Every structure is written in structure tokens, then in C-alpha cells.
Amino acid sequence: MRALIIGCGYVGEALGQRLIALGHEVTGIRRSSQHNNRLAKLGIRPLNLDITQEREFEKLDTHYDQVVIAVSPGRGGNEAYQKVFGLGVNHITKWLQRNAPTSVVFISSTSVYRQKNAEWVQEDIADIPENITSKILWEAEQKISTIEQAVTILRSSGIYGPGRSHLFRQFMDGNATIEGNGDRYLNMVHRDDLAEAITHSITNKDKLCGTFNITDDEPVKQLAFFKWLSKITNRPMPVFGPEPDPTTRKRGITNKRVSNKLFKEILGFQYNYPTFREGLIEELENWKAMP
Ligand SMILES: NC(=O)c1ccc[n+]([C@@H]2O[C@H](COP(=O)([O-])OP(=O)(O)OC[C@H]3O[C@@H](n4cnc5c(N)ncnc54)[C@H](OP(=O)(O)O)[C@@H]3O)[C@@H](O)[C@H]2O)c1
């Protein structure tokens, strides 16, 4: 089977390696060629194209059986987001209509849920997001879903894992702050669980079509998160700081507990990192091993 990962970054690389181990031929798209050698060493065929330029899709000259869209503008404001998830996703949608793969997985985000009162949120919540970037992403979900093939939308919570655990790093560097009274919930998922969930979606395509949250079992209040870190590392708690200003946060400020029940029920999916604890104990070991 030929798989194409559009946006072969942090999650895409981990996914590519899994798919190769399962015998798939994997091509990974990035805009820049900077990481081509690394991708090639992993066995992923690198392809450089910019999804915001429609003509660049001419570089996709082969049929792909599976397509995973895991693209992210990275840094940049609303404009960059609109370019990738508006214009770029329009181009991907048109290309998918011509290419007709057997399965399509779109990685979205739990930032599309606008809840602010610590409610549990499930996939059937139909409110349109408030925040601009979340609304752009939600519109991208709608757009991709218009193609004829079955589409699986996986809404990921905050991704952490090797080399990408921002709060952990801030805490270890003594730069973390507790926002307000620390009552806001964090929803997280380990990168490898997300990569595994995508792999499950591809390999169980007959069962899966629709929208699923991918997040670990335990949303945790910021205060409780730092208390746990402080206890296991024997380091002081971060200082308290002001509540964040929603206008400076790309994904706005929400406070919710995201449920992962549906994907587990339908697929019997098991998380290797059911809470932040398992993942961060590994990160702590990596941190201690650093020169
Ligand atoms: N990070 C989180 O906490 C989080 C939370 C929820 C959902 N998500 C979603 O999870 C998915 C994977 O995230 P990630 O952390 O793996 O992202 P990432 O490491 O930033 O990788 C994103 C990839 O997209 C590529 N890309 C960006 N703009 C492009 C363009 N115009 N044309 C072609 N490729 C382009 C980048 O290539 P270049 O580097 O060459 O530009 C990069 O390879 C994304 O869909 C993201 O929205 C992330």
C-alpha cells in the first residue's frame, strides 16, 4: 500500500515509521528540503511541495491508497493559519477528488471545542468555534469531509513527547508559571499514541469514518499537574502568574475536559500513555540522561 503524509513533521515522522514497519511505502510532504536526509534515513520518501500553491500538486504523480493530512503552519498568526487550513486544504480537497485514495485521515485539534466551564466534551458537540484559528480549522474539517471517500477526522489534544514537552521543559528550567489559580484543565496526548491512533484508523478503514477525539484518559488541572511534577522531581512549585490574555493565544482560552471514550469504544484502542504521568516519567529519564 502507498501512503502519503501531507505535513510530515513531528507526528508525521513517527507515523511514517510505523507504517513502514507494517510494510507500507511512505511518502512524506514538507515545504522545505531541510529535513529530507533525515526522512530518507527513516525510509520515508521526502517530497517538497507547498500546499498553498495549487500547481505544486503536479509533483504528486502517483496514486496513493492512504492519505494522512497532518499539516500545521507552526509559527505565524491567523494569516498563516488561513493560508494552510483555508487555501491549502482547498487544494488538498480538489486533489483528493482526483486521486481517490481508499482512506483519508485529517488531523484536527480539540481547540475546535469552545467550552470554558470545565465541562466534559464529546465529539457530537455542534457549536461553531469562537476563536478565529479554531473556526478556520473547523471549516477545514467540513471542507475535507465533502469528498466522496470516507474521511476520518482525529481531533488531537496538546501533543507532547520526546523533544516536545513544553510545560515539562519550562518547569525543569524554572521558567514555568501557574496561570491564575491553576484551575484550567490541560488535555494532552503523547505523540506515539496519536501516531498509533492514526495507524489504527488507516488499518481499520471499514469501521472508521467520522470524528474522534484523541487525548489521554486524564485531563488535569494545571495546578495538579505542577504539584505532581514538583513531587516527583523534588523541585519547587512554579510561581503564580496572571490569567493569560485570550487575545495573545492563537487557539484562544478554553477550559474543558475532552473525552476519549468514542475512539476507545469503537476500536478497542488502548493508550500506551493513558495519563501524562507515564509520558513525563520517560521525559524525565531522557532529561537526566542529557549531557
Ligand atoms: N502540536 C500540538 O500540540 C497539536 C495539537 C492539536 C493538533 N495538532 C495537529 O497535529 C498535526 C501534527 O502536528 P505536528 O506537531 O506534527 O506539526 P509539525 O511538527 O509542525 O509539522 C507540520 C508539518 O507541516 C508542514 N507544512 C507546513 N506548512 C506547509 C505547506 N504550506 N505545505 C506543505 N507542508 C507544510 C511542515 O513542513 P515544513 O517544516 O517544511 O514547513 C511540517 O512538516 C497537525 O495537523 C496539527 O494541527 C497539533
Side-chain angles (χ1 to χ4, degrees):
M1 293 277 213
R2 276 207 195 107
L4 177 68
I5 303 172
I6 305 181
C8 198
Y10 185 60
V11 173
E13 278 190 18
L15 170 68
Q17 287 172 266
R18 275 172 173 70
L19 294 178
I20 287 165
L22 291 172
H24 299 250
E25 225 177 85
V26 180
T27 299
I29 292 182
R30 291 192 79 132
R31 214 172 0 185
S32 84
S33 57
Q34 199 189 342
H35 302 278
N36 285 5
N37 284 345
R38 201 184 58 246
L39 289 183
K41 276 189 194 143
L42 296 173
I44 301 170
R45 183 174 77 101
L47 183 62
N48 301 120
L49 71 82
D50 182 346
I51 61 162
T52 66
Q53 307 291 324
E54 193 165 13
R55 292 205 52 182
E56 299 242 315
F57 282 76
E58 287 167 13
K59 294 181 186 171
L60 287 169
D61 51 2
T62 314
H63 175 81
Y64 292 93
D65 307 291
Q66 299 135 341
V67 176
V68 176
I69 301 139
V71 73
S72 162
R75 292 175 205 285
N78 298 345
E79 212 178 298
Y81 225 74
Q82 179 63 44
K83 244 182 140 183
V84 165
F85 289 112
L87 190 61
V89 166
N90 271 345
H91 297 154
I92 294 174
T93 306
K94 279 196 203 166
W95 173 77
L96 285 171
Q97 272 152 353
R98 296 193 300 273
N99 183 79
T102 36
S103 70
V104 177
V105 180
F106 178 71
I107 312 305
S108 179
S109 164
T110 56
S111 67
V112 297
Y113 301 119
R114 58 192 279 177
Q115 281 62 29
K116 292 186 177 143
N117 297 310
E119 316 76 324
W120 277 100
V121 294
Q122 300 191 344
E123 292 82 347
D124 56 1
I125 288 179
D127 304 344
I128 297 175
E130 231 173 22
N131 170 265
I132 293 180
T133 55
S134 307
K135 189 156 178 276
I136 293 170
L137 192 57
W138 180 83
E139 283 166 355
E141 289 183 355
Q142 315 294 308
K143 185 83 199 174
I144 284 284
S145 303
T146 59
I147 63 168
E148 262 175 47
Q149 298 76 31
V151 178
T152 306
I153 292 169
L154 300 181
R155 289 177 174 162
S156 168
S157 60
I159 302 164
Y160 75 99
R164 262 255 198 127
S165 304
H166 300 306
L167 282 181
F168 170 78
R169 292 275 150 180
Q170 280 180 353
F171 175 83
M172 296 307 278
D173 293 342
N175 296 329
T177 47
I178 301 165
E179 295 170 347
N181 57 10
D183 252 2
R184 225 160 50 82
Y185 277 95
L186 303 169
N187 295 275
M188 289 178 273
V189 66
H190 193 281
R191 176 202 62 185
D192 293 349
D193 276 335
L194 177 57
E196 200 58 44
I198 301 170
T199 307
H200 267 62
S201 308
I202 290 172
T203 46
N204 288 275
K205 67 176 176 52
D206 298 335
K207 274 195 195 168
L208 274 178
C209 170
T211 301
F212 302 91
N213 297 332
I214 306 296
T215 183
D216 73 19
D217 290 346
E218 192 182 315
V220 57
K221 286 187 179 181
Q222 217 187 63
L223 187 63
F225 174 80
F226 284 125
K227 275 188 177 165
W228 177 82
L229 261 183
S230 169
K231 196 169 167 203
I232 61 152
T233 57
N234 209 15
R235 284 168 176 250
M237 282 289 281
V239 293
F240 283 90
E243 288 286 356
D245 172 2
T247 58
T248 62
R249 289 279 171 105
K250 192 156 72 180
R251 291 185 173 167
I253 304 288
T254 58
N255 184 18
K256 65 217 174 190
R257 286 176 281 174
V258 180
S259 165
N260 65 9
K261 262 192 196 159
L262 188 63
F263 196 72
K264 288 208 294 191
E265 267 170 22
I266 293 198
L267 225 63
F269 185 72
Q270 289 189 344
Y271 284 78
N272 280 317
Y273 300 89
T275 76
F276 60 95
R277 294 182 194 83
E278 294 77 19
L280 290 187
I281 283 170
E282 271 187 22
E283 281 309 286
L284 188 58
E285 290 309 314
N286 295 340
W287 190 84
K288 284 181 190 160
M290 271 190 340

PDB file of all heavy atoms in Angstrom, residues 151-174:
ATOM      1  N   VAL A 151     -13.868   9.780   5.266  1.00  0.00           N
ATOM      2  CA  VAL A 151     -12.818  10.563   5.921  1.00  0.00           C
ATOM      3  C   VAL A 151     -12.889  10.345   7.427  1.00  0.00           C
ATOM      4  O   VAL A 151     -13.977  10.360   8.008  1.00  0.00           O
ATOM      5  CB  VAL A 151     -12.988  12.074   5.626  1.00  0.00           C
ATOM      6  CG1 VAL A 151     -11.939  12.901   6.351  1.00  0.00           C
ATOM      7  CG2 VAL A 151     -12.920  12.347   4.135  1.00  0.00           C
ATOM      8  N   THR A 152     -11.740  10.131   8.037  1.00  0.00           N
ATOM      9  CA  THR A 152     -11.680  10.057   9.496  1.00  0.00           C
ATOM     10  C   THR A 152     -11.029  11.346   9.985  1.00  0.00           C
ATOM     11  O   THR A 152      -9.933  11.692   9.526  1.00  0.00           O
ATOM     12  CB  THR A 152     -10.800   8.867   9.954  1.00  0.00           C
ATOM     13  OG1 THR A 152     -11.291   7.689   9.336  1.00  0.00           O
ATOM     14  CG2 THR A 152     -10.839   8.707  11.455  1.00  0.00           C
ATOM     15  N   ILE A 153     -11.724  12.030  10.888  1.00  0.00           N
ATOM     16  CA  ILE A 153     -11.142  13.249  11.460  1.00  0.00           C
ATOM     17  C   ILE A 153     -10.726  12.929  12.893  1.00  0.00           C
ATOM     18  O   ILE A 153     -11.554  12.486  13.699  1.00  0.00           O
ATOM     19  CB  ILE A 153     -12.154  14.411  11.419  1.00  0.00           C
ATOM     20  CG1 ILE A 153     -12.386  14.812   9.967  1.00  0.00           C
ATOM     21  CG2 ILE A 153     -11.654  15.604  12.238  1.00  0.00           C
ATOM     22  CD1 ILE A 153     -13.521  15.748   9.736  1.00  0.00           C
ATOM     23  N   LEU A 154      -9.453  13.103  13.177  1.00  0.00           N
ATOM     24  CA  LEU A 154      -8.966  12.860  14.534  1.00  0.00           C
ATOM     25  C   LEU A 154      -8.637  14.213  15.166  1.00  0.00           C
ATOM     26  O   LEU A 154      -7.767  14.937  14.664  1.00  0.00           O
ATOM     27  CB  LEU A 154      -7.718  11.958  14.517  1.00  0.00           C
ATOM     28  CG  LEU A 154      -7.905  10.576  13.892  1.00  0.00           C
ATOM     29  CD1 LEU A 154      -6.606   9.770  13.969  1.00  0.00           C
ATOM     30  CD2 LEU A 154      -9.044   9.798  14.561  1.00  0.00           C
ATOM     31  N   ARG A 155      -9.375  14.526  16.236  1.00  0.00           N
ATOM     32  CA  ARG A 155      -9.120  15.812  16.912  1.00  0.00           C
ATOM     33  C   ARG A 155      -8.152  15.557  18.069  1.00  0.00           C
ATOM     34  O   ARG A 155      -8.522  14.917  19.064  1.00  0.00           O
ATOM     35  CB  ARG A 155     -10.426  16.388  17.450  1.00  0.00           C
ATOM     36  CG  ARG A 155     -11.348  16.890  16.353  1.00  0.00           C
ATOM     37  CD  ARG A 155     -12.670  17.380  16.908  1.00  0.00           C
ATOM     38  NE  ARG A 155     -13.493  17.984  15.865  1.00  0.00           N
ATOM     39  CZ  ARG A 155     -14.794  18.173  15.976  1.00  0.00           C
ATOM     40  NH1 ARG A 155     -15.447  17.802  17.083  1.00  0.00           N
ATOM     41  NH2 ARG A 155     -15.458  18.739  14.981  1.00  0.00           N
ATOM     42  N   SER A 156      -6.937  16.032  17.886  1.00  0.00           N
ATOM     43  CA  SER A 156      -5.895  15.779  18.884  1.00  0.00           C
ATOM     44  C   SER A 156      -5.872  16.881  19.940  1.00  0.00           C
ATOM     45  O   SER A 156      -6.090  18.051  19.643  1.00  0.00           O
ATOM     46  CB  SER A 156      -4.543  15.726  18.166  1.00  0.00           C
ATOM     47  OG  SER A 156      -3.503  15.757  19.093  1.00  0.00           O
ATOM     48  N   SER A 157      -5.588  16.459  21.172  1.00  0.00           N
ATOM     49  CA  SER A 157      -5.335  17.473  22.212  1.00  0.00           C
ATOM     50  C   SER A 157      -3.858  17.875  22.118  1.00  0.00           C
ATOM     51  O   SER A 157      -3.188  17.546  21.136  1.00  0.00           O
ATOM     52  CB  SER A 157      -5.711  16.911  23.586  1.00  0.00           C
ATOM     53  OG  SER A 157      -4.941  15.766  23.857  1.00  0.00           O
ATOM     54  N   GLY A 158      -3.341  18.547  23.119  1.00  0.00           N
ATOM     55  CA  GLY A 158      -1.960  19.050  23.086  1.00  0.00           C
ATOM     56  C   GLY A 158      -0.956  17.907  23.005  1.00  0.00           C
ATOM     57  O   GLY A 158      -0.949  17.024  23.864  1.00  0.00           O
ATOM     58  N   ILE A 159      -0.130  17.941  21.979  1.00  0.00           N
ATOM     59  CA  ILE A 159       0.795  16.817  21.740  1.00  0.00           C
ATOM     60  C   ILE A 159       2.098  17.050  22.506  1.00  0.00           C
ATOM     61  O   ILE A 159       2.671  18.142  22.448  1.00  0.00           O
ATOM     62  CB  ILE A 159       1.097  16.693  20.233  1.00  0.00           C
ATOM     63  CG1 ILE A 159      -0.206  16.495  19.461  1.00  0.00           C
ATOM     64  CG2 ILE A 159       2.078  15.555  19.960  1.00  0.00           C
ATOM     65  CD1 ILE A 159      -0.080  16.746  17.962  1.00  0.00           C
ATOM     66  N   TYR A 160       2.533  16.027  23.204  1.00  0.00           N
ATOM     67  CA  TYR A 160       3.850  16.103  23.833  1.00  0.00           C
ATOM     68  C   TYR A 160       4.565  14.789  23.560  1.00  0.00           C
ATOM     69  O   TYR A 160       3.968  13.817  23.090  1.00  0.00           O
ATOM     70  CB  TYR A 160       3.722  16.374  25.351  1.00  0.00           C
ATOM     71  CG  TYR A 160       3.283  15.151  26.129  1.00  0.00           C
ATOM     72  CD1 TYR A 160       4.227  14.371  26.808  1.00  0.00           C
ATOM     73  CD2 TYR A 160       1.950  14.740  26.168  1.00  0.00           C
ATOM     74  CE1 TYR A 160       3.848  13.235  27.507  1.00  0.00           C
ATOM     75  CE2 TYR A 160       1.567  13.603  26.850  1.00  0.00           C
ATOM     76  CZ  TYR A 160       2.516  12.850  27.524  1.00  0.00           C
ATOM     77  OH  TYR A 160       2.144  11.723  28.190  1.00  0.00           O
ATOM     78  N   GLY A 161       5.859  14.759  23.868  1.00  0.00           N
ATOM     79  CA  GLY A 161       6.632  13.536  23.659  1.00  0.00           C
ATOM     80  C   GLY A 161       8.093  13.892  23.554  1.00  0.00           C
ATOM     81  O   GLY A 161       8.481  15.022  23.895  1.00  0.00           O
ATOM     82  N   PRO A 162       8.908  12.980  23.062  1.00  0.00           N
ATOM     83  CA  PRO A 162      10.338  13.224  23.011  1.00  0.00           C
ATOM     84  C   PRO A 162      10.676  14.546  22.317  1.00  0.00           C
ATOM     85  O   PRO A 162      10.216  14.798  21.203  1.00  0.00           O
ATOM     86  CB  PRO A 162      10.877  12.038  22.193  1.00  0.00           C
ATOM     87  CG  PRO A 162       9.820  10.995  22.301  1.00  0.00           C
ATOM     88  CD  PRO A 162       8.517  11.691  22.501  1.00  0.00           C
ATOM     89  N   GLY A 163      11.420  15.363  23.010  1.00  0.00           N
ATOM     90  CA  GLY A 163      11.852  16.651  22.437  1.00  0.00           C
ATOM     91  C   GLY A 163      10.755  17.687  22.332  1.00  0.00           C
ATOM     92  O   GLY A 163      10.976  18.768  21.799  1.00  0.00           O
ATOM     93  N   ARG A 164       9.570  17.424  22.816  1.00  0.00           N
ATOM     94  CA  ARG A 164       8.444  18.370  22.647  1.00  0.00           C
ATOM     95  C   ARG A 164       7.530  18.373  23.859  1.00  0.00           C
ATOM     96  O   ARG A 164       6.339  18.086  23.740  1.00  0.00           O
ATOM     97  CB  ARG A 164       7.583  17.926  21.482  1.00  0.00           C
ATOM     98  CG  ARG A 164       7.851  18.621  20.208  1.00  0.00           C
ATOM     99  CD  ARG A 164       6.813  19.652  19.813  1.00  0.00           C
ATOM    100  NE  ARG A 164       6.991  19.900  18.403  1.00  0.00           N
ATOM    101  CZ  ARG A 164       6.038  19.819  17.513  1.00  0.00           C
ATOM    102  NH1 ARG A 164       4.809  19.551  17.875  1.00  0.00           N
ATOM    103  NH2 ARG A 164       6.310  20.018  16.247  1.00  0.00           N
ATOM    104  N   SER A 165       8.079  18.650  25.011  1.00  0.00           N
ATOM    105  CA  SER A 165       7.216  18.704  26.198  1.00  0.00           C
ATOM    106  C   SER A 165       7.406  20.079  26.821  1.00  0.00           C
ATOM    107  O   SER A 165       8.167  20.249  27.763  1.00  0.00           O
ATOM    108  CB  SER A 165       7.603  17.599  27.177  1.00  0.00           C
ATOM    109  OG  SER A 165       7.546  16.354  26.527  1.00  0.00           O
ATOM    110  N   HIS A 166       6.674  21.064  26.259  1.00  0.00           N
ATOM    111  CA  HIS A 166       6.958  22.459  26.606  1.00  0.00           C
ATOM    112  C   HIS A 166       6.807  22.754  28.100  1.00  0.00           C
ATOM    113  O   HIS A 166       7.681  23.333  28.715  1.00  0.00           O
ATOM    114  CB  HIS A 166       6.069  23.401  25.801  1.00  0.00           C
ATOM    115  CG  HIS A 166       6.264  23.265  24.315  1.00  0.00           C
ATOM    116  ND1 HIS A 166       7.510  23.375  23.735  1.00  0.00           N
ATOM    117  CD2 HIS A 166       5.397  23.002  23.311  1.00  0.00           C
ATOM    118  CE1 HIS A 166       7.392  23.197  22.419  1.00  0.00           C
ATOM    119  NE2 HIS A 166       6.118  22.957  22.151  1.00  0.00           N
ATOM    120  N   LEU A 167       5.675  22.314  28.668  1.00  0.00           N
ATOM    121  CA  LEU A 167       5.445  22.637  30.084  1.00  0.00           C
ATOM    122  C   LEU A 167       6.483  21.976  30.972  1.00  0.00           C
ATOM    123  O   LEU A 167       6.970  22.558  31.932  1.00  0.00           O
ATOM    124  CB  LEU A 167       4.045  22.192  30.523  1.00  0.00           C
ATOM    125  CG  LEU A 167       2.887  23.074  30.104  1.00  0.00           C
ATOM    126  CD1 LEU A 167       1.575  22.516  30.631  1.00  0.00           C
ATOM    127  CD2 LEU A 167       3.082  24.498  30.595  1.00  0.00           C
ATOM    128  N   PHE A 168       6.826  20.732  30.629  1.00  0.00           N
ATOM    129  CA  PHE A 168       7.837  19.994  31.383  1.00  0.00           C
ATOM    130  C   PHE A 168       9.174  20.740  31.322  1.00  0.00           C
ATOM    131  O   PHE A 168       9.835  20.954  32.337  1.00  0.00           O
ATOM    132  CB  PHE A 168       7.954  18.579  30.807  1.00  0.00           C
ATOM    133  CG  PHE A 168       9.131  17.800  31.337  1.00  0.00           C
ATOM    134  CD1 PHE A 168       9.083  17.216  32.592  1.00  0.00           C
ATOM    135  CD2 PHE A 168      10.282  17.658  30.577  1.00  0.00           C
ATOM    136  CE1 PHE A 168      10.170  16.504  33.090  1.00  0.00           C
ATOM    137  CE2 PHE A 168      11.377  16.948  31.061  1.00  0.00           C
ATOM    138  CZ  PHE A 168      11.319  16.370  32.322  1.00  0.00           C
ATOM    139  N   ARG A 169       9.544  21.129  30.116  1.00  0.00           N
ATOM    140  CA  ARG A 169      10.819  21.841  29.932  1.00  0.00           C
ATOM    141  C   ARG A 169      10.829  23.156  30.708  1.00  0.00           C
ATOM    142  O   ARG A 169      11.790  23.498  31.380  1.00  0.00           O
ATOM    143  CB  ARG A 169      11.066  22.171  28.449  1.00  0.00           C
ATOM    144  CG  ARG A 169      11.301  20.975  27.616  1.00  0.00           C
ATOM    145  CD  ARG A 169      12.757  20.564  27.649  1.00  0.00           C
ATOM    146  NE  ARG A 169      12.822  19.121  27.461  1.00  0.00           N
ATOM    147  CZ  ARG A 169      13.909  18.401  27.432  1.00  0.00           C
ATOM    148  NH1 ARG A 169      15.078  18.975  27.618  1.00  0.00           N
ATOM    149  NH2 ARG A 169      13.864  17.107  27.243  1.00  0.00           N
ATOM    150  N   GLN A 170       9.715  23.893  30.583  1.00  0.00           N
ATOM    151  CA  GLN A 170       9.635  25.180  31.307  1.00  0.00           C
ATOM    152  C   GLN A 170       9.800  24.946  32.804  1.00  0.00           C
ATOM    153  O   GLN A 170      10.501  25.672  33.493  1.00  0.00           O
ATOM    154  CB  GLN A 170       8.274  25.838  31.058  1.00  0.00           C
ATOM    155  CG  GLN A 170       8.192  26.554  29.743  1.00  0.00           C
ATOM    156  CD  GLN A 170       6.822  27.183  29.537  1.00  0.00           C
ATOM    157  OE1 GLN A 170       5.882  26.976  30.311  1.00  0.00           O
ATOM    158  NE2 GLN A 170       6.693  27.956  28.477  1.00  0.00           N
ATOM    159  N   PHE A 171       9.139  23.909  33.294  1.00  0.00           N
ATOM    160  CA  PHE A 171       9.215  23.593  34.714  1.00  0.00           C
ATOM    161  C   PHE A 171      10.659  23.254  35.103  1.00  0.00           C
ATOM    162  O   PHE A 171      11.196  23.786  36.077  1.00  0.00           O
ATOM    163  CB  PHE A 171       8.280  22.420  35.035  1.00  0.00           C
ATOM    164  CG  PHE A 171       8.397  21.945  36.459  1.00  0.00           C
ATOM    165  CD1 PHE A 171       7.711  22.588  37.480  1.00  0.00           C
ATOM    166  CD2 PHE A 171       9.232  20.881  36.777  1.00  0.00           C
ATOM    167  CE1 PHE A 171       7.849  22.167  38.793  1.00  0.00           C
ATOM    168  CE2 PHE A 171       9.367  20.450  38.085  1.00  0.00           C
ATOM    169  CZ  PHE A 171       8.673  21.101  39.101  1.00  0.00           C
ATOM    170  N   MET A 172      11.301  22.394  34.329  1.00  0.00           N
ATOM    171  CA  MET A 172      12.667  21.964  34.665  1.00  0.00           C
ATOM    172  C   MET A 172      13.645  23.141  34.574  1.00  0.00           C
ATOM    173  O   MET A 172      14.621  23.197  35.298  1.00  0.00           O
ATOM    174  CB  MET A 172      13.130  20.826  33.740  1.00  0.00           C
ATOM    175  CG  MET A 172      12.333  19.539  33.868  1.00  0.00           C
ATOM    176  SD  MET A 172      12.191  18.914  35.536  1.00  0.00           S
ATOM    177  CE  MET A 172      13.725  18.061  35.744  1.00  0.00           C
ATOM    178  N   ASP A 173      13.350  24.092  33.659  1.00  0.00           N
ATOM    179  CA  ASP A 173      14.230  25.260  33.527  1.00  0.00           C
ATOM    180  C   ASP A 173      13.889  26.358  34.546  1.00  0.00           C
ATOM    181  O   ASP A 173      14.500  27.429  34.530  1.00  0.00           O
ATOM    182  CB  ASP A 173      14.110  25.866  32.106  1.00  0.00           C
ATOM    183  CG  ASP A 173      14.674  24.918  31.047  1.00  0.00           C
ATOM    184  OD1 ASP A 173      15.435  24.003  31.416  1.00  0.00           O
ATOM    185  OD2 ASP A 173      14.336  25.092  29.853  1.00  0.00           O
ATOM    186  N   GLY A 174      12.867  26.110  35.353  1.00  0.00           N
ATOM    187  CA  GLY A 174      12.476  27.106  36.361  1.00  0.00           C
ATOM    188  C   GLY A 174      11.740  28.289  35.759  1.00  0.00           C
ATOM    189  O   GLY A 174      11.647  29.354  36.366  1.00  0.00           O
TER     190      GLY A 174
END
